[in-house]
Amino acid sequence: MAAFIDSWIRRLTAPDIPAAVFHVARGSLGGLRRARQSASVKSSVVRSLPAGLVEPSFDKPNLPRPEEFQSAVKDAVRRIGSPEGPVALLLPETSVKTVLLSFDSLPPAPDEREKIIRWRLARTLPLPPAETRLSFAVSRTNGRARAFCVLAAAGVVREYEKAFAAAGLDVRTVGLPTPALLGCLPKNGPANQVIVNIEEDYFAALAILDGGPALFRVKPLSTGNLWEEAAEETAATLRFLEDREKKEIESVWLRPAAGGDAGTGAALIQNRVSRPVRILPGDAATGIPPADRIRLAPLLGQLS
């Protein structure tokens, strides 16, 4: 079974760049294949998925029609070409649970760290430890250790792995789209910033303060009033952070993947938060059709 590892953790441990990256969302499947000798994009695909083909959930099956989903994956692989090596997979964030824990200190040994973190999580784990995959990354901020934890049901991860294996793919890394967007940010950006990711069915926000994760939240959105809800959630997130941390959020980055006019959505959020909002991935996504850049932004970040 592939190691379940969040893409933000991947950025710390820096394993080999995957030969291709795929992102599964409720209504779409995206893929990028990397050029053999570099991290540049060789080919890409974005294809829509029928309603009900992917039903993201932490503790319920995600792929109610697995054979039909496998066919969609095989079609995506055919369109970008077979990757020459292991691939990475980004899952819907509504398929996992994320927790940010704070400690006075943590031991340096990974096994000891995991024991302490699992002990802290034991009261809130929705599934028994044997059925839950845990991955975490630890950073230090203001003298305290913070553990960014990702919990996934083993059965859900196996569903996706099986579907991609049927298409001849070796899934070596499983991550999340919003942390993957860190790879799209400027290398020397401000210390305090927030990434807002608007999918067709949920809002996600990742706050980076003093270079480390300070908050990660995911909330479902209703389709009828999506952008209004997203703007309010963004404003509430910034108010909460600045009040709790006593720090000013210097940059807000937006991936408006929910469809519609991205510029209008960004303007609505910008008006609500009273500061500039910049759209990811910007104009530097060479080799990607303009209409697909926003949808494929997390995959570009994962390859960076």
Side-chain angles (χ1 to χ4, degrees), residues 74-210:
K74 290 176 182 178
D75 176 66
V77 173
R78 178 187 60 79
R79 289 162 64 177
I80 64 171
S82 296
E84 298 177 346
V87 306
L89 174 61
L90 306 180
L91 299 183
E93 276 144 338
T94 44
S95 293
V96 304
K97 302 290 186 183
T98 56
V99 182
L100 189 61
L101 300 175
S102 182
F103 302 86
D104 290 332
S105 63
L106 282 170
D111 290 348
E112 293 300 316
R113 284 184 173 187
E114 180 166 348
K115 288 179 182 178
I116 293 173
I117 290 170
R118 279 195 178 274
W119 179 79
R120 280 279 300 272
L121 290 169
R123 296 180 181 178
T124 58
L125 281 176
L127 292 174
E131 300 175 19
T132 305
R133 299 290 179 262
L134 166 67
S135 195
F136 63 90
V138 176
S139 62
R140 294 197 65 84
T141 304
N142 298 327
R144 292 183 60 82
R146 281 178 167 169
F148 181 63
C149 308
V150 181
L151 297 160
V156 168
V157 177
R158 282 194 294 267
E159 274 190 289
Y160 289 101
E161 287 179 332
K162 183 178 179 180
F164 280 81
L169 301 176
D170 175 16
V171 176
R172 196 68 61 86
T173 299
V174 181
L176 303 177
T178 303
L181 290 169
L182 286 168
C184 296
L185 300 187
K187 300 303 180 184
N188 297 311
N192 303 324
Q193 48 194 333
V194 171
I195 296 174
V196 175
N197 183 22
I198 312 298
E199 291 282 0
E200 63 184 89
D201 56 341
Y202 70 86
F203 161 95
L206 173 62
I208 304 298
L209 300 183
D210 297 325

